[in-house]
Amino acid sequence: MMQTEPTSRFMRACQRYPVDATPIWLMRQAGRYMQEYRDLRSRYSMLDLITTPELAAQVTMQPINAFDLDAAIIFADILPPLMGMGLQLDFVAGKGPVIGNPISERRHVDQLRTPSARETLSPTLEAIQIVANELKPKGIPLIGFAGAPFTLACYAIEGGGSKDYAKAKAFMYREPVAWGRLMEKLVAVQADYLIQQAQSGAQALQVFDSWAGLALGKQAYQRYVAPYNKILFEKISSTRLPIIHFSTGASAYLEDVADSGGDVISVDFRIPLRDAWDKIGSQRAIQGNLDPMTLLAPWENLKGYIDEVLQQADNRVGHIFNLGQGIHRTTPVENVKRMVDYVHEQTRR
Amino acid sequence: MMQTEPTSRFMRACQRYPVDATPIWLMRQAGRYMQEYRDLRSRYSMLDLITTPELAAQVTMQPINAFDLDAAIIFADILPPLMGMGLQLDFVAGKGPVIGNPISERRHVDQLRTPSARETLSPTLEAIQIVANELKPKGIPLIGFAGAPFTLACYAIEGGGSKDYAKAKAFMYREPVAWGRLMEKLVAVQADYLIQQAQSGAQALQVFDSWAGLALGKQAYQRYVAPYNKILFEKISSTRLPIIHFSTGASAYLEDVADSGGDVISVDFRIPLRDAWDKIGSQRAIQGNLDPMTLLAPWENLKGYIDEVLQQADNRVGHIFNLGQGIHRTTPVENVKRMVDYVHEQTRR
């Protein structure tokens, strides 16, 4: 993590410096709940938006222009790195991501390529350059991100979304050696991708391990996930940027999640922030953790739920206000605007 | 809970009496992984099987006849009580349960009926009578069950399965008063249903709260779920039967789950048994918690995962071996047979 004292609220909170007010940004802050986004999506496919740097940059800026957010996150998806590895990815309307040739045998793992991000993911790297330049005069940092190896391995084996991760877990329990090779290849690709994002101008990096905690118990996490996450976090620490480690459903072993890496641990809405801090130790910053579905309630109710998160955080250094998972597509824009301003007002030091 | 010392392993473990070997049964032990079940399902619909007492009894006995299990669980589904309340339930092939008229407004809650189980759920009560008589000479207890109010409320509002419980949680956060009325009606219906199951011959009762832990954080659970579960558990304690409280994804506040009721806490695969016992206190029995997907691995691997659960349980009184969630439909029958025998052999006192 960088050593010079930064000026922006978000970067300061990542490194647990005192702030003038608690920084706030929202997972999936560029998305369907915004009319500007829906307008673009009516003209372009998901893959178009991601693979056209100017469009990805434009989408990234939509919530920055609409709300007083303290950080931007590059508009991208966690799955495109799988395409470069040889998996056929498509986004199917109403169904989400679908992989045409999912992994089901050891030899499929051996066949996976590990190309550099410069070769296969340059549109996102270019989008980062565009947005970083645009944000510089505003003093707003840009977050780059990538999926953690477990979550990508799940998609690669399931061939898409899953309720019970049955195929991925069966492969993991049945073929622990091939599983290890798959995870190592994913670590190599994702580490390079994140390092390239840093070199393109990202000022912080978030690793999304959206599925490990929901899919696995503590012992399986320690055996099949943590060792690979550790290598990934170790590799990307060379960027000297603050690293955010996002997990969900991992309340039973949040200490193991924190132990595998990250300067900031981004927690889901299931665990109160004080309990989370107890588990991960006071030397880490925490990001979270309002339940995004509270944003579907009227402001009077929503305000009470925001207050609960702020009471839990108690203005401790190193709190970044965020949601416990991505914002829902039916969220009223007005509630987002009021929440962002309310968090700043209530936490002004 | 009954006071006389029972003889069967399962009933003894529920009440934390010493046992000659750890009892084992499996959630969804009657199901698609068995050829006998698939044969019946090819001739009858899901609703046919549930609503024809002789068929439900036959399915219930299939795993009892095939494996050395220590308890039977009546073959039924958690959703039929919603039909008696006025919701149109259907099981759609490849899609699962679908409700034609889901709850979306306060007045829908007011319109819900609360008929007695005798009126609307008599096929399951009759199936319990048939199976209880058949099991008596074998000395194997029969478990009755019902869904907890939160999980049923989710189905009633979502209109079926859900990934993010968005509609149900939005209703809960937006309409807390109507939410309370809905939960109260569900408590009334489910308490009566469980009491009737006891009177029909069930010897233990399991309450399935499959979704609350996954859907909610600690504070929301305490506010919108726990008070209603407490009333439900209080009401069914009149049966003097052991009550099993099953939850998933609730590792962050398992103590609150235990606090709302149950003699046996059935935990998912996410939390190691020792940690779970620390959270709920040694005065409760624990059921669980092998990851069902380990049953998809070869026996040599599976054996190691079973050993881990047994090491965690360490032959403590009050351990009932089970899975952390329902058995998967692709599970090899041979693995089930070996697991049941292995658990008995390894825990023989």
Side-chain angles (χ1 to χ4, degrees), chain A residues 163-242:
Chain A
K163 265 196 326 193
D164 56 12
Y165 319 98
K167 289 178 194 159
K169 287 168 69 177
F171 188 88
M172 183 184 84
Y173 287 129
R174 197 163 52 213
E175 302 277 6
V177 177
W179 173 264
R181 283 205 303 275
L182 171 58
M183 292 291 277
E184 280 164 9
K185 285 189 167 186
L186 287 165
V187 165
V189 167
Q190 298 301 82
D192 172 66
Y193 183 29
L194 285 162
I195 291 167
Q196 292 297 329
Q197 291 187 48
Q199 288 175 3
S200 302
Q203 286 171 270
L205 300 171
Q206 178 153 329
V207 175
F208 281 87
D209 210 359
S210 315
W211 284 2
L214 288 171
L216 301 180
K218 181 186 176 89
Q219 289 145 319
Y221 181 86
Q222 288 175 337
R223 187 174 300 139
Y224 299 115
V225 178
Y228 307 99
N229 279 355
K230 277 181 189 167
I231 303 170
L232 175 65
F233 284 105
E234 173 62 28
K235 279 176 186 271
I236 63 178
S237 70
S238 67
T239 63
R240 303 178 66 80
L241 298 187

Side-chain angles (χ1 to χ4, degrees), chain A residues 19-340:
Chain A
V19 287
D20 64 328
T22 297
I24 172 170
W25 69 278
L26 308 174
M27 285 187 280
R28 286 208 212 122
Q29 63 191 18
R32 283 197 174 274
Y33 75 101
M34 293 186 74
Q35 184 61 47
E36 301 91 311
Y37 179 90
R38 293 195 297 271
D39 288 347
L40 265 185
R41 272 292 273 117
S42 70
R43 287 188 287 144
Y44 301 100
S45 75
M46 183 71 181
L47 272 179
D48 284 343
L49 289 188
I50 294 169
T51 57
T52 312
E54 294 72 18
L55 290 175
Q58 188 182 335
V59 174
T60 303
M61 291 301 294
Q62 286 175 344
I64 301 300
N65 295 331
F67 315 111
D68 186 21
L69 293 161
D70 294 293
I73 182 163
I74 193 64
F75 183 77
D77 189 86
I78 62 165
L79 296 180
L82 295 178
M83 299 170 82
M85 297 180 78
L87 294 166
Q88 293 145 18
L89 171 69
D90 202 4
F91 291 90
V92 180
K95 209 180 155 185
V98 174
I99 289 165
N101 56 342
I103 292 170
S104 62
E105 298 175 34
R106 288 177 224 181
R107 66 185 172 86
H108 298 152
V109 174
D110 297 330
Q111 288 159 3
L112 289 176
R113 297 188 294 271
T114 54
S116 79
R118 282 268 160 240
E119 241 178 90
T120 58
L121 295 155
S122 60
T124 296
L125 301 177
E126 286 172 39
I128 287 174
Q129 289 174 334
I130 297 170
V131 178
N133 283 329
E134 202 166 336
L135 286 173
K136 197 169 283 174
K138 296 177 194 274
I140 297 175
L142 174 63
I143 305 168
F145 73 90
F150 179 86
T151 297
L152 288 186
C154 271
Y155 272 106
I157 298 170
E158 296 286 339
S162 172
K163 265 196 326 193
D164 56 12
Y165 319 98
K167 289 178 194 159
K169 287 168 69 177
F171 188 88
M172 183 184 84
Y173 287 129
R174 197 163 52 213
E175 302 277 6
V177 177
W179 173 264
R181 283 205 303 275
L182 171 58
M183 292 291 277
E184 280 164 9
K185 285 189 167 186
L186 287 165
V187 165
V189 167
Q190 298 301 82
D192 172 66
Y193 183 29
L194 285 162
I195 291 167
Q196 292 297 329
Q197 291 187 48
Q199 288 175 3
S200 302
Q203 286 171 270
L205 300 171
Q206 178 153 329
V207 175
F208 281 87
D209 210 359
S210 315
W211 284 2
L214 288 171
L216 301 180
K218 181 186 176 89
Q219 289 145 319
Y221 181 86
Q222 288 175 337
R223 187 174 300 139
Y224 299 115
V225 178
Y228 307 99
N229 279 355
K230 277 181 189 167
I231 303 170
L232 175 65
F233 284 105
E234 173 62 28
K235 279 176 186 271
I236 63 178
S237 70
S238 67
T239 63
R240 303 178 66 80
L241 298 187
I243 315 287
I244 308 170
H245 184 174
F246 171 73
S247 70
T248 53
S251 303
Y253 46 87
L254 202 58
E255 62 279 13
D256 296 292
V257 170
D259 187 52
S260 64
D263 305 296
V264 183
I265 305 300
S266 189
V267 295
D268 71 12
F269 55 80
R270 294 178 184 87
I271 187 165
L273 286 187
R274 264 183 228 140
D275 295 352
W277 237 313
D278 284 347
K279 277 182 167 259
I280 67 173
S282 57
Q283 296 310 303
R284 310 287 184 111
I286 277 202
Q287 180 172 278
N289 69 343
L290 186 71
D291 184 340
M293 303 312 170
T294 60
L295 281 155
L296 309 183
W299 173 249
E300 292 65 39
N301 307 27
L302 169 55
K303 196 166 137 323
Y305 300 117
I306 298 170
D307 286 338
E308 283 184 354
V309 173
L310 294 177
Q311 277 157 24
Q312 287 277 327
D314 198 23
N315 279 1
R316 277 172 77 154
V317 291
H319 179 225
I320 298 161
F321 195 102
N322 205 317
L323 306 176
Q325 63 183 46
I327 193 168
H328 195 260
R329 62 188 160 69
T330 64
T331 304
V333 166
E334 181 59 22
N335 273 353
V336 176
K337 188 168 172 37
R338 289 183 81 161
M339 172 174 64
V340 172

Side-chain angles (χ1 to χ4, degrees), chain A residues 269 291 293, chain B residues 164-174 215-216:
Chain A
F269 55 80
D291 184 340
M293 303 312 170
Chain B
D164 56 12
Y165 319 98
K167 289 178 195 160
K169 287 168 68 177
F171 188 88
M172 183 184 85
Y173 288 128
R174 197 165 51 214
L216 302 180

Side-chain angles (χ1 to χ4, degrees), chain B residues 173-236:
Chain B
Y173 288 128
R174 197 165 51 214
E175 302 276 6
V177 177
W179 173 264
R181 283 205 304 274
L182 171 58
M183 293 291 276
E184 280 165 9
K185 285 188 167 187
L186 288 164
V187 166
V189 167
Q190 298 302 81
D192 172 65
Y193 183 31
L194 286 162
I195 291 168
Q196 293 297 329
Q197 291 187 48
Q199 289 175 2
S200 302
Q203 286 171 269
L205 299 171
Q206 178 155 328
V207 175
F208 282 87
D209 210 359
S210 314
W211 284 1
L214 289 170
L216 302 180
K218 182 184 174 91
Q219 289 146 319
Y221 181 85
Q222 289 175 336
R223 187 174 300 139
Y224 299 116
V225 177
Y228 307 100
N229 279 355
K230 277 182 189 167
I231 303 171
L232 175 65
F233 284 105
E234 173 61 28
K235 279 176 187 270
I236 63 178

